[in-house]
Amino acid sequence: METATAPPPKKRSEAEILRSLLENGVAKRFDLVAWANAGCRQPTPIERLLHLFEQCRPDVAKLIVLEELEGTPEEDADVLVYGEIDTVEFTELLNKYGGVNALGGGGGDDGGRVFYDLGSGTGKAVCAAGLCAHFRHVRGVEILPCTAAIASVLVEDFVRDVLPGSRPAGNALVSVDVERGDFFAREHLERWRRADLVFCNCVTWDDDTMTTLSRHAEGLRPGAVFITVLCPLASDAFELVEEVELKFSWGSVEALVHRRLTDEQAAAAAALGAAMEAMEG
């Protein structure tokens, strides 16, 4: 008598696997509609966003990243250390600097301003930027499959549960997206260098990686804003506008707000720096 063979399990996408984890024990999943209806007032968009993020806590995401990297050459790479910025403080920073126009107007095909997060992790900063009225397009790129898959889930829920009614009808968010990939790759470089505001949590990066980032960032249009964490851009093409202490999942650190200079201004800054070095020498 032959024994029946069970059919092989259906292969699930990374996003489907991560959604299952989020719904079944990795972290609690919130019913935002039920939560809103139970209260005596309608929650604000930022409150809805914070409750959405509760389904994927920073410590959970960090654990998933560590497990993904275990046994790989990148296991001990500082550049892939996971951390999240405080959502409320980040949105305040975006509201302050997101209205700056880069040369030629907004970087979107429709002329709208573009926000880009390099190394966007679980996509939380991208979703937060989606509530900022300055941007019509918010995008991110993340190299790790695990966090990119989580981001696809959170972005989907953000569009469904948080975005409706969060912005004026005449100033709608046109697109929100997080891609998996290397933001130093040519196809991604061409996209994020059209952005009006770029954010990069580079707090643990080494000098070589920061030098590479700085060189590629010079491709941004004059007037564009680039916000880094702790590590400044090593380029005369940028001026440091402000240093702001912001909270992260592991503590507080300085966020550095840079603005892309014109080529003429950058050349003058480089000449001045060289002159000062000569005097000191």
Side-chain angles (χ1 to χ4, degrees):
M1 180 177 179
E2 296 183 358
T3 304
T5 303
K10 179 183 177 182
K11 184 175 178 60
R12 295 185 297 170
S13 69
E14 291 171 342
E16 290 173 328
I17 294 171
L18 264 298
R19 180 178 287 281
S20 176
L21 290 173
L22 292 172
E23 292 175 341
N24 297 286
V26 170
K28 184 178 180 182
R29 187 175 179 81
F30 281 81
D31 185 337
L32 296 182
V33 175
W35 176 80
N37 293 337
C40 60
R41 64 176 178 82
Q42 287 297 311
T44 65
I46 193 67
E47 288 173 333
R48 297 202 303 270
L49 184 64
L50 292 173
H51 277 268
L52 170 66
F53 288 169
E54 284 294 327
Q55 67 176 294
C56 183
R57 301 184 305 275
D59 54 341
V60 174
K62 182 177 181 179
L63 176 61
I64 293 174
V65 169
L66 291 174
E67 291 181 344
E68 169 106 353
L69 296 177
E70 187 175 1
T72 70
E74 292 81 18
E75 183 174 6
D76 298 320
D78 287 342
V79 294
L80 296 178
V81 171
Y82 186 81
E84 294 181 3
I85 195 169
D86 180 85
T87 301
V88 174
E89 292 190 356
F90 185 58
T91 54
E92 291 173 351
L93 187 64
L94 293 182
N95 285 328
K96 181 175 181 179
Y97 287 103
V100 175
N101 287 318
L103 183 66
D109 292 338
D110 57 358
R113 292 191 189 94
V114 178
F115 167 88
Y116 234 107
D117 184 5
L118 307 182
S120 49
T122 56
K124 292 183 180 180
V126 174
C127 293
L131 295 183
C132 179
H134 294 309
F135 305 115
R136 296 186 68 182
H137 308 273
V138 293
R139 298 165 184 158
V141 55
E142 168 59 34
I143 196 169
L144 292 178
C146 57
T147 42
I150 295 174
S152 69
V153 173
L154 289 184
V155 166
E156 177 185 312
D157 290 355
F158 167 76
V159 171
R160 184 191 64 226
D161 297 329
V162 178
L163 189 57
S166 66
R167 295 171 52 135
N171 187 26
L173 183 66
V174 176
S175 65
V176 52
D177 182 51
V178 173
E179 296 182 289
R180 177 188 167 191
D182 181 355
F183 53 75
F184 288 146
R186 181 181 300 241
E187 64 271 21
H188 293 296
L189 277 174
E190 294 175 352
R191 294 170 192 160
W192 67 258
R193 290 196 297 193
R194 289 294 304 168
D196 299 273
L197 191 150
V198 179
F199 172 70
C200 185
N201 184 356
C202 50
V203 65
T204 60
W205 288 18
D206 57 38
D207 291 342
D208 288 343
T209 309
M210 283 303 303
T211 297
T212 301
L213 176 67
S214 301
R215 184 179 70 253
H216 288 309
E218 292 175 355
L220 289 166
R221 293 167 297 147
V225 173
F226 199 124
I227 301 175
T228 62
V229 181
L230 188 62
C231 303
L233 293 175
S235 170
D236 290 321
F238 291 86
E239 63 173 337
L240 182 60
V241 179
E242 186 179 10
E243 298 183 22
V244 186
E245 185 173 278
L246 297 179
K247 289 184 292 187
F248 286 78
S249 53
W250 33 257
S252 296
V253 73
E254 298 294 321
L256 309 178
V257 182
H258 307 77
R259 180 177 291 119
R260 176 65 162 92
L261 300 172
T262 64
D263 291 341
E264 292 76 12
Q265 291 171 327
L272 178 60
M276 293 181 65
E277 287 182 5
M279 292 175 61
E280 293 174 356

